[in-house]
Amino acid sequence: MTIKTEIELMYKRRIDQKEIQKMPSDTTIDKHARNLEKLHYHITGKNPTIIGQMKWMEDMPPEEVILQMKSMPGRNSETIGLSTQQAYMFSILVGIRTNDFTNFHQNDLYGFVWDIVNNKNGFKKELNDHKNNKENVYVPNYQHVSDIVSKYLRDGSDLDFKIILKIYTTYPFRLEVADLQYLRTLHQYKASMKEGNYIVKKSRPRNTFFFSFNDYKTKDVYGERKIDIQDKELINLLIEKTKNMKGHENLFGENGLLRNTMSKRITYFFEKEGLPNVNPTNLTKMVIKHHYDKMDTGLRETQEKLASQRGHSVGTQLMIYLTN
């Protein structure tokens, strides 16, 4: 039994009791498990194997647990930011429910955390203000990033990473790119369950591809996202990558690529090139801003295309991702 398996079983019990209608994505469950493991190690200095070892959920004062959580080191800052704090608090709620499925509401930490994440005039407002504050938004310079990526596409040796860089400097995608599987024919695509994320090769026009995203944050709202690939440089990279593939393989590595691993590698790559804090999220902002800067006529069409490719509404795009 692993922590991830424990969480999966908890969600299955919730489905059986008709509390929820479907399982969270495998990525979401994995994230909860890793958050709880990291928090436990931060508090105790030990690696847990089951949630039952996380005695701090019951024995430690709730205020102390949250203080410990807030003191965790951030990726690019001394401590974790507000969005990461929210993610950890959601994972704490999941962990408590997993640990005591029936009496979770009697746990002091559960009530304490629930009140924090749902306080419209407290943490929730602070988080929303932070997200909407354009002064906190960092957008990399498009030309600088393009020059760095062009040099790597010309001189680099890792074909997978070339494809990743080209995708993230062309499309406003989230981390679902790490999950891409290759489907060699439209027949394979039509026979698939449409539950994963795919690169699909088309027969006409010859040597062309499209993305099919089915496992992403807002899938329940926007459904499958199909995006034709028109960038010739990316098409040539994909032709080289898939020439000996039969279909149904992971695009990046035999066993696939973890989203967090991909994000860290992108960030590290640009850090070595003298551009800190360039991650997939900031590259998305860069791509969107680059298109907005070029807009004149056809504004609405381009807005809707970018929002559709990202998998959110135009309003969300304008509120969060567009910067002055």
Side-chain angles (χ1 to χ4, degrees):
M1 180 76 71
T2 66
I3 292 172
K4 182 178 178 181
T5 303
E6 289 182 288
I7 295 173
E8 288 174 340
L9 292 174
M10 181 274 292
Y11 277 117
K12 288 178 181 177
R13 290 183 67 182
R14 292 190 65 189
I15 289 175
D16 291 341
Q17 293 192 178
K18 302 189 184 307
E19 293 181 23
I20 55 176
Q21 293 183 337
K22 58 179 290 187
M23 288 286 288
S25 69
D26 188 66
T27 301
T28 296
I29 294 174
D30 185 66
K31 183 67 174 176
H32 285 314
R34 286 189 286 114
N35 282 349
L36 290 169
E37 290 165 2
K38 289 178 182 178
L39 181 56
H40 182 83
Y41 184 83
H42 183 72
I43 291 173
T44 69
K46 299 178 181 179
N47 291 311
T49 55
I50 56 173
I51 288 178
Q53 294 172 344
M54 300 177 188
K55 300 300 183 183
W56 46 268
M57 289 184 181
E58 297 178 352
D59 298 342
M60 184 179 289
E63 297 85 352
E64 179 62 24
V65 173
I66 299 305
L67 285 175
Q68 288 280 353
M69 180 267 294
K70 289 182 177 181
S71 71
M72 296 179 70
R75 182 184 300 174
N76 300 306
S77 57
E78 185 176 352
T79 55
I80 59 175
L82 293 172
S83 295
T84 307
Q85 290 178 27
Q86 182 190 51
Y88 271 94
M89 285 190 282
F90 285 148
S91 296
I92 289 171
L93 296 176
V94 168
I96 294 171
R97 185 70 194 271
T98 302
N99 193 48
D100 191 345
F101 186 83
T102 303
N103 300 310
F104 66 95
H105 56 279
Q106 298 177 6
N107 183 291
D108 290 341
L109 178 59
Y110 189 95
F112 187 79
V113 172
W114 179 268
D115 288 343
I116 291 176
V117 296
N118 289 285
N119 186 345
K120 294 182 179 179
N121 296 315
F123 180 83
K124 206 167 187 177
K125 182 178 185 301
E126 186 180 4
L127 178 61
N128 287 336
D129 289 347
H130 174 76
K131 286 183 176 180
N132 297 335
N133 184 353
K134 293 179 180 178
E135 293 179 358
N136 290 328
V137 175
Y138 166 61
V139 181
N141 180 275
Y142 182 85
Q143 192 57 55
H144 195 174
V145 168
S146 295
D147 290 344
I148 291 172
V149 171
S150 294
K151 182 178 183 298
Y152 189 82
L153 293 180
R154 183 179 66 249
D155 302 332
S157 59
D158 188 330
L159 179 58
D160 285 359
F161 196 57
K162 287 182 180 182
I163 294 172
I164 289 169
L165 288 176
K166 187 60 184 177
I167 288 175
Y168 277 105
T169 51
T170 305
Y171 299 96
F173 291 159
R174 294 186 179 90
L175 297 179
E176 57 263 30
V177 169
D179 309 337
L180 286 171
Q181 296 178 3
Y182 174 60
L183 299 180
R184 188 179 181 184
T185 64
L186 285 176
H187 176 73
Q188 288 183 350
Y189 165 72
K190 291 176 181 178
S192 69
M193 299 299 292
K194 305 296 190 299
E195 294 179 348
N197 299 319
Y198 310 105
I199 286 276
V200 185
K201 188 174 183 180
K202 298 191 292 183
S203 55
R204 298 177 183 174
R206 186 170 178 269
N207 285 329
T208 56
F209 304 82
F210 67 89
F211 294 104
S212 170
F213 289 111
N214 304 274
D215 181 11
Y216 64 98
K217 185 177 180 181
T218 50
K219 164 67 186 308
D220 290 342
V221 178
Y222 296 98
E224 180 190 16
R225 287 153 50 209
K226 288 178 65 177
I227 302 133
D228 280 324
I229 298 174
Q230 299 177 343
D231 185 277
K232 292 182 179 179
E233 194 167 25
L234 179 55
I235 289 172
N236 289 334
L237 291 170
L238 290 171
I239 291 172
E240 182 181 355
K241 171 66 180 178
T242 61
K243 60 186 177 183
N244 295 318
M245 296 174 71
K246 304 297 184 183
H248 296 289
E249 302 98 330
N250 292 310
L251 191 66
F252 304 121
E254 183 178 350
N255 298 314
L257 180 63
L258 292 176
R259 296 185 180 193
N260 190 49
T261 300
M262 182 186 71
S263 181
K264 286 182 176 179
R265 183 171 180 192
I266 290 172
T267 303
Y268 180 65
F269 169 78
F270 284 106
E271 282 180 353
K272 290 194 301 179
E273 297 293 334
L275 281 182
N277 302 324
V278 178
N279 52 42
T281 299
N282 288 333
L283 288 174
T284 283
K285 298 169 187 174
M286 180 196 75
V287 169
I288 292 174
K289 185 177 187 299
H290 174 68
H291 283 280
Y292 273 106
D293 287 344
K294 297 193 301 181
M295 282 181 185
D296 41 28
T297 59
L299 171 63
R300 178 58 60 184
E301 180 182 347
T302 305
Q303 280 182 321
E304 292 176 351
K305 180 188 74 172
L306 290 168
S308 174
Q309 289 178 354
R310 179 69 175 169
H312 61 207
S313 68
V314 172
T316 297
Q317 182 186 90
L318 291 171
M319 182 175 67
I320 297 178
Y321 294 100
L322 179 60
T323 64
N324 293 324

